[in-house]
Structure formats: C-alpha cells, structure tokens
Amino acid sequence: MESSRESLHEKASHGKKIFPYIVYHSRIPEWLSGFPLHWHEEFEIILVTFGKAVFTVNGKRYVAKKNDILLIPPESIHSIERHFEDFVEYFNILFTFSLLEENSESHCTRRYFSKFLDAGNFRTIQIEENTSLHQKLFLPVQDLIQHREETFSGYELMIKSRLFEIFHNLAQENLKENASSLESSSDSSISKKNTEKIKKILSFTAEHFSEPITIQDAASICSVSESRFMGLFKQQTGMSYIQYLNNYRLEAAAEELSDSIRTKKSVTEIALQNGFENISYFIRAFRAKFDCTPKEYSRKH
C-alpha cells in the first residue's frame, strides 16, 4: 500500500493489464497502527489469518478475527488498524470485473456484477466464521490464496472459476438481502455524491495537512454547510473530521520521528512541520495515540 503521506486514491493498477488480479500477504506489526482511509478501483476480498483488526468501510466499523472474510466494493473509502495490541495478518485479493467480463454491457455484468460495483447497494461486508455464507466462500478464497504465486502459469482459468463461484454465492445472498431491504436508485445516487465529497476533502487533507485547516475550510471544499459537513464526514468515515485530521498529523509526525536520528530534526520541528502549533498538545496527543512520548518513539523506531 502507498505511504499514508501520498495520495489516498490508489491509482496504480494491481496485477497485470492483461490479467488484472493479484494477491498480497499483508501484516500490521506492533509498531504500525494501521493503514489510513483510502480507496481504489479494484474489488477487494480480505481473509484474516491471524489476530484481530478493525476495518472501517464507508463509515461502518467491523472487528474481524481469524478466518473472517471481508468484501470491499470498488471506490469504497476504507481503512484498517490493529485491534488494541493485536498483531494481525491477512491476505488481500484485488481484481477488476473486466477479468471476468470485458464488456460492461454483457449479461452477467448488467444482472449481477453491477450490484457489487455499487457500494451503496452492497451490504455484505463482513462474513464471519461459522455462517452459511462463510462455508460457501471459505474454500474458494483459500484456493485463490494457495495458488497466489501461480497466476500466470496455467491457473488463470482456475482463478476465474473460483471468482465466479464466489460471486454466484454472493448474488444469491444479495437477492435475499434486497428482498427485505431495497435502496432506491435516487438514494444510491445521493450516496455516491456524498462519497465523492468526502474523497475530495480526504485528498485535500493529504496534500495540506501541515497547514491550518478549519471546519469552515473543509465544508467549503465539499460545497456544503459546516453542520452538514460534520454529519456527512462522520457518516462516511466513522469519525469526526477533527479526529481524522489530528490522527493524520500524528501518523505523519510518527513517520518523521522514526527517521529523526538521520534527519536530526527535533520534536518541536516535527510537530510544527506537521500542523501542530501547540507543542504541549502535540506531546499529549502523541502519548495518547502511541502510548509513549515522541522522544521515546524516536528511540524505539
């Protein structure tokens, strides 16, 4: 994944152009709190293999444990962080639906895949172990992970067949969910527009986090009132904008502190360069997040 200081929109393609599919083995060790809010154009299937993690997807939090499966639709704003002190490992399977059907007007795309492209209509995010859907998906997901190194050595058809199997079962589950809870096309359109507004302020924050940013500034960028912005940001990300901004600045400061022996930057310099004008507040906030002072963090990392 990209550094948290770079664009939060992952524009790099995952896999090869002729076969847009790849599997990553990922981990969040004890010295890293997690990966910040971001989004990408691929559909993502995650299988947790060790520990626990907190996933936030479009404003909703999911605590996932070993063997849980998470499904993240394209363009969804999501993040992952350790659950308290847990070390966590997981596999990410990323692909685009063009792998399965090249024509966006084809029958399966229109009837089935389009439902999984729209995060507003997609409700099955976390699939916990010991559920009927998990029993149907676990083996094909494991098969994809087992053959992750053999993508271009005769296993392409197997990979496609497993993905079709996964989405067949998801489509059946989706029909059940939609039968009891339908979202109108106008609601879906509004949801997409709101998501785009939040992506705009997340991108702005990534570029200008070291500068003063007020709620008024953020609301203006999203073209909404301050009260509407605060409610919308909390709904889409699961936290307030001030929480997000401070957390982003603290993560940026932590990155610099881990390299401060080489750069010879002081704690005060790093705090000021990452948007903290009050050094006492920075030290208190840093200790609350990382359970140590900035100087202690610098020595450890």
Side-chain angles (χ1 to χ4, degrees), residues 58-76:
N58 294 326
K60 295 183 179 179
R61 296 176 81 254
Y62 304 88
V63 178
K65 63 186 182 307
K66 182 180 177 181
N67 290 334
D68 282 1
I69 296 170
L70 292 105
L71 308 171
I72 303 177
E75 302 290 341
S76 297

Side-chain angles (χ1 to χ4, degrees), residues 21-23 45 91 93 95 137-151 155-156 158-164 166:
Y21 167 93
I22 198 164
V23 180
I45 301 173
F91 285 95
I93 301 169
F95 61 92
L137 300 189
F138 189 64
L139 287 179
V141 169
Q142 272 196 321
D143 220 2
L144 292 173
I145 291 169
Q146 182 180 348
H147 296 288
R148 64 188 181 278
E149 304 295 342
E150 301 164 314
T151 305
Y155 282 79
E156 293 94 335
M158 183 279 288
I159 288 166
K160 285 190 175 188
S161 71
R162 295 297 181 267
L163 290 174
F164 274 118
I166 288 168

Side-chain angles (χ1 to χ4, degrees), residues 35-252:
F35 298 116
L37 292 167
H38 64 287
W39 64 94
H40 44 71
E41 296 171 2
E42 292 83 6
F43 193 98
E44 185 171 8
I45 301 173
I46 293 174
L47 175 66
V48 179
T49 56
F50 186 87
K52 281 185 180 179
V54 178
F55 293 83
T56 301
V57 184
N58 294 326
K60 295 183 179 179
R61 296 176 81 254
Y62 304 88
V63 178
K65 63 186 182 307
K66 182 180 177 181
N67 290 334
D68 282 1
I69 296 170
L70 292 105
L71 308 171
I72 303 177
E75 302 290 341
S76 297
I77 299 172
H78 60 286
S79 65
I80 175 172
E81 58 188 27
R82 286 187 294 112
H83 183 259
F84 296 108
E85 297 304 314
D86 284 346
F87 171 87
V88 63
E89 286 193 29
Y90 56 96
F91 285 95
N92 321 55
I93 301 169
L94 292 107
F95 61 92
T96 63
F97 283 103
S98 64
L99 176 71
L100 304 178
E101 286 204 319
E102 295 180 6
N103 186 349
S104 62
E105 295 302 315
S106 64
H107 174 71
C108 284
T109 296
R110 285 188 289 105
R111 184 167 182 180
Y112 301 109
F113 297 151
S114 60
K115 307 295 191 300
F116 304 114
L117 288 167
D118 187 352
N121 284 329
F122 190 77
R123 295 176 177 82
T124 308
I125 300 295
Q126 182 177 10
I127 304 169
E128 296 184 275
E129 193 175 16
N130 298 323
T131 62
S132 60
L133 183 57
H134 187 278
Q135 291 172 4
K136 295 173 183 176
L137 300 189
F138 189 64
L139 287 179
V141 169
Q142 272 196 321
D143 220 2
L144 292 173
I145 291 169
Q146 182 180 348
H147 296 288
R148 64 188 181 278
E149 304 295 342
E150 301 164 314
T151 305
F152 300 100
S153 54
Y155 282 79
E156 293 94 335
L157 292 178
M158 183 279 288
I159 288 166
K160 285 190 175 188
S161 71
R162 295 297 181 267
L163 290 174
F164 274 118
E165 181 181 353
I166 288 168
F167 282 102
H168 165 71
N169 286 301
L170 287 176
Q172 298 303 305
E173 189 73 15
N174 207 42
L175 287 173
K176 295 177 190 175
E177 291 180 352
N178 287 343
S180 60
S181 178
L182 288 171
E183 182 175 345
S184 70
S185 59
S186 60
D187 288 340
S188 179
S189 177
I190 291 170
S191 177
K192 286 180 181 177
K193 288 179 180 178
N194 289 339
T195 299
E196 290 307 311
K197 291 179 189 292
I198 298 306
K199 286 179 180 177
K200 189 180 292 186
I201 188 58
L202 292 178
S203 294
F204 178 86
T205 304
E207 295 177 14
H208 301 279
F209 68 92
S210 61
E211 305 166 16
I213 305 175
T214 65
I215 293 295
Q216 184 178 12
D217 295 332
S220 177
I221 289 165
C222 294
S223 303
V224 294
S225 68
E226 292 180 41
S227 59
R228 173 63 178 150
F229 168 75
M230 289 188 288
L232 190 60
F233 194 91
K234 183 70 178 285
Q235 178 190 52
Q236 292 281 328
T237 68
M239 67 183 79
S240 72
Y241 179 67
I242 296 301
Q243 283 177 306
Y244 174 76
L245 178 59
N246 281 339
N247 188 63
Y248 197 98
R249 287 170 169 170
L250 288 168
E251 292 282 357

